[in-house]
Amino acid sequence: MKRVYMDNGATTRTHPEVLQAMEPYFLETYGNPSSVHNFGREALKGVEEAREQVQKLINAHDPQEIIFTSGGTESDNLAIIGFAMANRKKGKHIITSAVEHHGVLHTCEYLEKELGFSVTYLPVDKFGLVNVEEFQKTIGEDTILATIMMGNNEIGTIQPIKELAEVAREQGVVFHTDAVQAVGNMPVDVQDLGVDMLALSAHKFHGPKGVGALYVRKGVKLHPHMHGGAQEKKRRGSTHNTTGIIGLGKAAELARDNLSEKVEKVTKLRDKLIKGIEENIEEIVFNGHPEQRLPGNVNFCFRYIEGESLLLSLDLEGIAASSGSACTSGSLDPSHVLLATGLSHEVAHGSLRLTLSYFNEEEEVDYVIEKLPGIIDKLRQMSPLYQSKS
Amino acid sequence: MKRVYMDNGATTRTHPEVLQAMEPYFLETYGNPSSVHNFGREALKGVEEAREQVQKLINAHDPQEIIFTSGGTESDNLAIIGFAMANRKKGKHIITSAVEHHGVLHTCEYLEKELGFSVTYLPVDKFGLVNVEEFQKTIGEDTILATIMMGNNEIGTIQPIKELAEVAREQGVVFHTDAVQAVGNMPVDVQDLGVDMLALSAHKFHGPKGVGALYVRKGVKLHPHMHGGAQEKKRRGSTHNTTGIIGLGKAAELARDNLSEKVEKVTKLRDKLIKGIEENIEEIVFNGHPEQRLPGNVNFCFRYIEGESLLLSLDLEGIAASSGSACTSGSLDPSHVLLATGLSHEVAHGSLRLTLSYFNEEEEVDYVIEKLPGIIDKLRQMSPLYQSKS
Amino acid sequence: MYSEKVMDHFTNPRNMGSMENPDGKAQVGNPTCGDIMEIAIKVEENKIKDIRFKTFGCGAAVATSSMVTEMAKGKTLEEAEQLTNKTVAEALDGLPPVKMHCSNLAADALHKAIQDYREKQTKKG
Amino acid sequence: MYSEKVMDHFTNPRNMGSMENPDGKAQVGNPTCGDIMEIAIKVEENKIKDIRFKTFGCGAAVATSSMVTEMAKGKTLEEAEQLTNKTVAEALDGLPPVKMHCSNLAADALHKAIQDYREKQTKKG
Ligand SMILES: Cc1ncc(COP(=O)(O)O)c(C=O)c1O
Ligand SMILES: Cc1ncc(COP(=O)(O)O)c(C=O)c1O
């Protein structure tokens, strides 16, 4: 059976060259980078090279501004809890948005519920955008931190980070952005954006799972989130995940290679897929912003059907996709992101996310456009909601 | 040059079969285990098999008692912070020991300094053992948690966990043990030990770095330490590190294979090494307990010399070892563990840890016994402390 | 995740569609929670002669709907009323734990359809 | 971690050992902090004619001791007094940041040995 992977927003295939770069660190250069001996020193060299590769990918000023973590979630936790706890004497108010990934949202909720912080969740418009002026108005005396994501993992909307960070800087508020979906998939320049902290995760751009990084601008003080050894200049305890870090470094290097060409390719595939769906299927809702959008993200709601049924039907045709449907997550409410953009529960249940990478090819897009209308039709024929309308 | 790796307490070589088990999950079964589609379901199957392999290794009652983490440090942080924060209404006192790994020690200090808990650090005797009666006396009304390590990472001493856990259970105190050095290297049975939580880390027994697990007995309530997605039954957010988890599972399976034979082999090598050092070098201090000891751990202090110089000299002969010397860690004080056993700063600075695994061979032990006396002598000749005595 | 039987019923749903002039009919669930099932029955000599379902919902919802129609068909009303959500789930070789709570409404829909039939009979009678 | 020069001086320390009847001698550091350096000098016509060190400490401590003796040998006392811990570290192509604070005492030891020589001269004088 044909197999088409269009769930790159969930995770990506590890690039074969990434695995190749990692392999010697399993079997030969397996020392602990904190060790004095040769096995350790060689491993350390690899780790520091990887740090420079990540630095270059996001144009950080200094490799020491990169802290390696176990992924996007840990980076967000470290940025938010680590900063909030270290600076809580300056204030206890945090600003975020209603459409953040749970790695940010649940972290903010934890600070609110368990640690005495107050959090503002900025609403978004129908495209999923926060409003810069509204953000500015929300900043108060007590505000110490703002955390607003760069590219939305569900609907692909890219927030005006540069403008938001500028407002924050003017008001003396430290600004973190969860750029897990963006980094490696589009140009991201921390100096140009003017952010203080930025989270990234290797497995979203053909690196290995279980490794990520947090950029922390020099001078920004944090508590560690992993309390332990003196690794990462005492900012993150635990034996270095050498193989993962080498993989992240290699993925960062590969991502920089011809980035603009890859972005162009993916954007073209995305737009073809969007057009193909819009032209062939009725009663649909396009989600996210049409232009300020991650290169690989396509998201629609199909009225009268439920997302998980759609995913299963696509899977039977070999197409791997995802949905903000409640039933895929085992919760009762559908995606908080889709609800925040103003969709009803009923419509939000019927969402489909197709996420592309530069590994995808045009014929795969054609295949999806060929198969999807029949599947939607079959599921609608089964739906009591559709019948009642026709 | 001959290369002899005797720093298995710091980290181990990944077993080639472990890497082999991981590889397909990088390039083929690369889906997110939380996804509905085939790529995801296959990955999930692998993750759940790995969970059972870990369950079996430590004889947990149910695979769902295993939470996958990014390593030993995270497991300790999750156990201690996660439990303390979730149960702080019941009490705010925690008991630990003076010889814990920093993953426990710094976590307890954080709770003390930043979150209003009080912590008792139990002293140890000259072998590094805590006293069960003293432990019992320290338990008070307000005590909610005890966290005492199983095998010490520096001096190898194995604590009387079963007795300690029994005391804790009788007093209604939840008991966590950092068994990072023990699991995979000697028999560990959570049901027999009677512990409520137990931390382990794959890279200490020929698994990959950057992955570990926390055993949490059914019924013990924790807050997550990684706030994010609904993974691990909402106890640990973040995309599953599929490859790492598969590697941990495979390492757990391999560790169970002929465990007692491997323990016997390593113990024999250890005892030969200890004897060889004692017979060939004067003015030394044997560290740790002679019998209640990790199978692979050898630790001595050599008077009049400093540990890092010793490591560098060994490294020049191809021998990889470690030390609790301050100079290897960039701090000023030598190992808190050696000081806790009553050694002076001066003596503690001259420590050497040689840690074996079943990958080591007898001729390697012979090689170390052959090389070490000359190195010690050369360094002593250089030492102003030695001269002043001779 | 799902058993082979669930996937079989999801892929080839039995008795799917609408029915002209049903003797009894009911809908359970609501679009907010993401599951709606509609069941229509024809009754002859106190037996379920024909049955049809329509479902808006996840794979488990579709499969349980399909399965309950297959199990009910040909049974007397009293027998059909003995079917529970649990027996339906068991007939599908079980459902994932997260799916037990919301998608498992098919027997409820069937019972309501039978109830509807009875009420109509009473009115007629 | 360490530069090649550091490792060279660590592996083949120059002027290591004790000295009979030194003209000046000093020890800096203490065993608690993990670093002790002892330097002994012979002086002739205001120049350092011979020099010996002994060191208890890490690789950086050994290498800086060795290097400072090499740099000082043959210099006038005034020239030798110009040597700083910084110039010694630079001559070794630098030290790792964590090593800058504690192991870098070699020039201090040298200066104290010269001071000891001067004090002895004064007493004799
Ligand atoms: C926007 C965003 N933030 C954070 C994360 C969490 O990253 P990870 O799964 O590597 O922890 C993800 C993906 O899962 C994401 O898409
Ligand atoms: C006893 C002990 N606990 C915890 C840890 C931390 O484990 P990890 O490095 O996997 O975070 C280690 C090793 O580093 C250890 O030896």
Side-chain angles (χ1 to χ4, degrees):
Chain A
M1 190 178 65
K2 198 177 177 68
R3 289 183 83 191
V4 173
Y5 187 74
M6 288 205 187
D7 199 12
N8 291 283
T11 194
T12 58
R13 177 171 187 242
T14 303
H15 196 297
E17 286 181 41
V18 167
L19 175 56
Q20 220 178 322
M22 293 167 73
E23 269 166 346
Y25 290 82
F26 285 107
L27 302 180
E28 293 144 37
T29 316
Y30 53 82
N32 187 322
S34 302
S35 295
V36 166
H37 49 66
N38 190 269
F39 292 85
R41 291 199 307 271
E42 290 296 312
L44 181 64
K45 211 194 288 175
V47 166
E48 294 312 315
E49 277 168 19
R51 201 186 303 281
E52 284 174 25
Q53 286 163 328
V54 174
Q55 174 209 355
K56 281 185 193 143
L57 179 63
I58 60 170
N59 194 31
H61 180 69
D62 186 326
Q64 294 309 324
E65 294 176 325
I66 308 298
I67 303 176
F68 290 119
T69 68
S70 68
T73 301
E74 186 186 333
S75 296
D76 284 329
N77 277 255
L78 170 57
I80 298 169
I81 297 181
F83 183 84
M85 288 299 287
N87 293 277
R88 66 191 197 276
K89 276 169 197 138
K90 294 184 200 147
K92 299 195 86 173
H93 179 233
I94 295 167
I95 301 170
T96 187
S97 87
V99 294
E100 298 295 313
H101 187 269
H102 284 145
V104 168
L105 220 47
H106 289 164
T107 304
C108 288
E109 287 165 8
Y110 190 76
L111 286 173
E112 205 176 10
K113 209 176 137 205
E114 305 289 343
L115 294 165
F117 288 81
S118 74
V119 180
T120 301
Y121 302 88
L122 290 173
V124 295
D125 66 14
K126 66 175 176 173
F127 299 118
L129 287 169
V130 302
N131 182 298
V132 180
E133 278 172 37
E134 208 163 337
F135 171 60
Q136 180 149 26
K137 281 189 208 141
T138 316
I139 297 175
E141 270 296 290
D142 204 36
T143 312
I144 54 171
L145 176 68
T147 169
I148 293 175
M149 74 197 310
M150 186 154 181
N152 187 277
N153 47 304
E154 290 192 35
I155 59 175
T157 301
I158 294 170
Q159 303 293 347
I161 296 302
K162 195 172 173 170
E163 290 75 9
L164 293 164
E166 197 182 335
V167 168
R169 195 167 48 253
E170 282 165 5
Q171 312 272 327
V173 169
V174 162
F175 193 92
H176 168 60
T177 188
D178 172 348
V180 167
Q181 288 286 333
V183 171
N185 297 308
M186 59 180 275
V188 173
D189 178 330
V190 289
Q191 298 190 62
D192 178 58
L193 290 172
V195 295
D196 298 299
M197 298 190 279
L198 178 142
L200 62 91
S201 184
H203 73 94
K204 304 291 188 187
F205 55 100
H206 303 294
K209 300 185 216 311
V211 60
L214 181 66
Y215 160 79
V216 182
R217 197 172 47 70
K218 218 175 186 155
V220 174
K221 293 273 169 295
L222 304 177
H223 284 168
H225 190 61
M226 293 291 179
H227 305 279
Q231 290 91 353
E232 296 298 279
K233 302 205 174 295
K234 302 198 178 168
R235 296 170 300 179
R236 202 254 180 194
S238 193
T239 303
H240 282 105
N241 174 4
T242 321
T243 49
I245 290 168
I246 300 298
L248 167 55
K250 187 69 189 176
E253 184 190 295
L254 291 172
R256 288 209 314 147
D257 274 1
N258 305 315
L259 178 57
S260 56
E261 281 163 45
K262 286 183 287 190
V263 168
E264 201 178 313
K265 174 187 171 177
V266 173
T267 307
K268 237 168 114 177
L269 292 179
R270 177 195 76 186
D271 292 342
K272 180 169 187 181
L273 187 51
I274 290 175
K275 194 151 162 270
I277 291 172
E278 284 178 337
E279 286 178 356
N280 289 287
I281 306 175
E282 291 188 337
E283 300 210 62
I284 62 179
V285 178
F286 174 82
N287 294 313
H289 196 282
E291 288 104 37
Q292 288 167 236
R293 187 175 194 93
L294 290 167
N297 178 288
V298 175
N299 192 313
F300 283 99
C301 285
F302 300 89
R303 289 184 193 275
Y304 319 124
I305 68 175
E306 193 278 334
E308 196 208 69
S309 289
L310 180 50
L311 297 188
L312 289 173
S313 303
L314 285 165
D315 187 52
L316 291 168
E317 300 288 354
I319 300 166
S322 74
S323 168
S325 150
C327 263
T328 63
S329 62
S331 85
L332 283 171
D333 284 326
S335 151
H336 65 285
V337 175
L338 296 175
L339 296 180
T341 64
L343 294 187
S344 70
H345 273 68
E346 180 183 332
V347 173
H349 275 296
S351 73
L352 175 68
R353 179 184 76 166
L354 295 158
T355 38
L356 303 155
S357 96
Y358 64 86
F359 280 2
N360 286 113
E361 296 302 339
E362 189 164 353
E363 48 146 2
E364 295 181 317
V365 168
D366 293 338
Y367 181 75
V368 173
I369 295 173
E370 180 199 324
K371 291 290 174 188
L372 190 56
I375 290 170
I376 298 290
D377 189 56
K378 188 182 161 202
L379 289 170
R380 282 181 175 168
Q381 291 307 327
M382 204 187 286
S383 170
L385 301 172
Y386 190 58
Q387 180 191 44
S388 62
K389 294 247 178 180
S390 64
Chain B
M1 189 176 70
K2 198 177 176 70
R3 290 184 82 190
V4 173
Y5 187 76
M6 288 204 187
D7 199 12
N8 291 284
T11 193
T12 58
R13 177 169 188 245
T14 303
H15 197 297
E17 286 181 43
V18 167
L19 175 57
Q20 219 178 325
M22 292 167 73
E23 270 166 343
Y25 290 82
F26 285 106
L27 302 180
E28 293 146 38
T29 315
Y30 53 83
N32 187 322
S34 302
S35 295
V36 165
H37 48 67
N38 190 268
F39 293 84
R41 290 197 308 270
E42 290 296 312
L44 180 65
K45 211 194 287 176
V47 166
E48 295 311 315
E49 277 169 20
R51 201 185 303 280
E52 284 173 25
Q53 286 163 329
V54 174
Q55 174 209 355
K56 281 184 194 144
L57 179 64
I58 60 171
N59 193 32
H61 180 69
D62 186 326
Q64 294 308 325
E65 295 175 325
I66 308 298
I67 303 176
F68 290 119
T69 68
S70 68
T73 302
E74 186 186 333
S75 296
D76 285 330
N77 276 254
L78 170 58
I80 299 169
I81 298 182
F83 183 83
M85 288 298 287
N87 294 277
R88 67 193 195 277
K89 277 172 195 136
K90 295 183 200 147
K92 300 194 86 174
H93 179 234
I94 296 167
I95 301 170
T96 186
S97 87
V99 295
E100 298 294 313
H101 186 269
H102 285 146
V104 167
L105 219 47
H106 288 165
T107 304
C108 287
E109 287 166 9
Y110 190 77
L111 286 174
E112 207 176 10
K113 208 175 137 207
E114 304 289 342
L115 293 167
F117 288 80
S118 74
V119 180
T120 300
Y121 302 88
L122 290 173
V124 295
D125 65 15
K126 65 175 176 171
F127 299 117
L129 287 171
V130 302
N131 182 298
V132 180
E133 276 173 38
E134 207 163 338
F135 171 63
Q136 180 149 25
K137 282 189 208 140
T138 316
I139 296 175
E141 270 296 292
D142 205 36
T143 311
I144 54 171
L145 176 68
T147 168
I148 294 175
M149 75 196 310
M150 186 152 180
N152 188 277
N153 46 304
E154 290 192 36
I155 59 175
T157 301
I158 294 170
Q159 303 294 346
I161 296 301
K162 194 170 173 170
E163 290 76 7
L164 293 164
E166 195 181 335
V167 168
R169 195 167 49 253
E170 281 165 6
Q171 312 272 326
V173 169
V174 162
F175 193 90
H176 168 60
T177 188
D178 173 348
V180 167
Q181 289 285 335
V183 171
N185 297 309
M186 59 179 275
V188 173
D189 178 328
V190 291
Q191 297 190 63
D192 178 57
L193 290 171
V195 295
D196 299 298
M197 298 190 279
L198 178 143
L200 61 93
S201 183
H203 72 96
K204 304 290 188 188
F205 55 99
H206 302 293
K209 301 185 214 312
V211 60
L214 180 67
Y215 159 78
V216 182
R217 198 172 48 69
K218 218 174 187 157
V220 174
K221 291 274 168 293
L222 304 178
H223 284 168
H225 190 61
M226 293 291 181
H227 306 279
Q231 289 91 353
E232 297 296 280
K233 301 207 176 295
K234 302 197 179 168
R235 296 170 300 179
R236 201 254 179 191
S238 194
T239 303
H240 282 104
N241 174 5
T242 321
T243 50
I245 291 167
I246 300 297
L248 167 56
K250 186 70 190 178
E253 185 190 294
L254 292 172
R256 288 209 313 148
D257 274 0
N258 305 314
L259 178 58
S260 57
E261 280 162 45
K262 286 183 287 189
V263 169
E264 201 178 313
K265 173 187 171 178
V266 173
T267 306
K268 237 167 116 178
L269 293 178
R270 177 194 77 187
D271 292 343
K272 179 167 189 185
L273 187 51
I274 289 174
K275 194 152 162 267
I277 290 172
E278 284 178 336
E279 287 178 355
N280 289 287
I281 306 175
E282 292 190 336
E283 300 211 63
I284 62 178
V285 179
F286 174 82
N287 294 314
H289 196 282
E291 289 104 38
Q292 287 167 237
R293 186 175 195 91
L294 290 168
N297 179 288
V298 175
N299 192 314
F300 283 99
C301 286
F302 300 89
R303 287 183 194 277
Y304 320 124
I305 67 174
E306 193 277 334
E308 196 208 69
S309 289
L310 180 50
L311 297 189
L312 290 173
S313 303
L314 285 166
D315 188 51
L316 291 168
E317 301 287 355
I319 300 166
S322 74
S323 168
S325 151
C327 263
T328 62
S329 64
S331 85
L332 284 171
D333 284 327
S335 153
H336 65 283
V337 175
L338 295 175
L339 297 179
T341 64
L343 294 188
S344 70
H345 274 69
E346 181 182 331
V347 173
H349 275 296
S351 72
L352 175 68
R353 181 184 74 166
L354 295 158
T355 37
L356 303 154
S357 97
Y358 63 85
F359 280 2
N360 286 113
E361 296 301 340
E362 189 164 353
E363 49 146 2
E364 295 180 318
V365 167
D366 294 338
Y367 181 75
V368 172
I369 295 173
E370 179 200 325
K371 290 290 173 188
L372 191 58
I375 289 170
I376 298 291
D377 189 56
K378 190 183 158 200
L379 289 170
R380 283 181 175 168
Q381 291 307 328
M382 204 187 287
S383 170
L385 301 172
Y386 190 57
Q387 181 191 43
S388 62
K389 295 249 177 179
S390 65
Chain C
M1 186 171 71
Y2 288 130
S3 69
E4 273 177 42
K5 276 210 187 141
V6 170
M7 286 309 294
D8 175 37
H9 277 266
F10 175 79
T11 318
N12 306 297
R14 329 291 202 254
N15 308 305
M16 196 275 287
S18 45
M19 187 186 277
E20 305 261 308
N21 306 317
D23 296 329
K25 191 173 169 177
Q27 202 183 67
V28 298
N30 70 66
T32 303
C33 91
D35 279 294
I36 302 179
M37 290 176 195
E38 193 177 278
I39 285 190
I41 50 173
K42 282 245 191 266
V43 180
E44 248 173 50
E45 295 177 4
N46 198 42
K47 280 193 179 150
I48 295 177
K49 174 118 191 295
D50 200 7
I51 182 163
R52 284 284 176 274
F53 82 90
K54 283 204 167 189
T55 290
F56 165 87
C58 65
V62 172
T64 51
S65 307
S66 168
M67 178 53 96
V68 86
T69 62
E70 200 171 68
M71 292 172 86
K73 203 167 175 176
K75 284 210 166 61
T76 66
L77 296 184
E78 291 71 25
E79 283 166 349
E81 281 174 319
Q82 299 298 314
L83 292 172
T84 65
N85 292 325
K86 191 152 165 271
T87 52
V88 173
E90 279 165 7
L92 287 164
D93 292 342
L95 291 174
V98 291
K99 298 293 183 179
M100 289 305 286
H101 65 307
C102 66
S103 317
N104 197 1
L105 301 166
D108 297 350
L110 173 66
H111 300 161
K112 281 210 174 168
I114 295 174
Q115 200 182 324
D116 178 57
Y117 164 76
R118 292 219 158 102
E119 280 164 16
K120 277 183 187 150
Q121 292 307 101
T122 319
K123 275 182 211 154
K124 272 191 207 170
Chain D
M1 187 171 71
Y2 287 130
S3 70
E4 273 177 40
K5 277 210 186 137
V6 171
M7 286 310 293
D8 175 36
H9 277 265
F10 175 79
T11 318
N12 307 296
R14 330 289 201 256
N15 308 305
M16 198 275 288
S18 46
M19 186 185 280
E20 305 262 308
N21 306 316
D23 297 329
K25 189 172 170 179
Q27 202 184 65
V28 299
N30 70 66
T32 302
C33 91
D35 279 293
I36 302 179
M37 290 177 195
E38 193 177 277
I39 284 190
I41 52 174
K42 282 247 190 264
V43 180
E44 246 173 50
E45 295 178 4
N46 199 43
K47 280 192 179 154
I48 295 176
K49 176 123 190 289
D50 200 8
I51 183 163
R52 286 281 178 277
F53 82 90
K54 283 205 167 188
T55 290
F56 165 85
C58 65
V62 173
T64 51
S65 308
S66 168
M67 177 53 95
V68 85
T69 63
E70 199 172 69
M71 291 172 86
K73 202 167 180 177
K75 284 209 167 59
T76 65
L77 296 184
E78 291 71 25
E79 283 166 347
E81 283 175 317
Q82 298 299 313
L83 292 172
T84 62
N85 293 327
K86 192 153 163 269
T87 51
V88 173
E90 279 164 8
L92 288 164
D93 293 343
L95 291 174
V98 291
K99 298 291 182 181
M100 290 303 288
H101 66 306
C102 66
S103 317
N104 197 2
L105 301 166
D108 297 351
L110 173 65
H111 300 162
K112 282 211 172 168
I114 295 174
Q115 200 182 322
D116 179 56
Y117 163 76
R118 291 218 159 102
E119 279 164 18
K120 279 181 186 149
Q121 291 306 103
T122 319
K123 274 181 214 153
K124 276 190 203 167

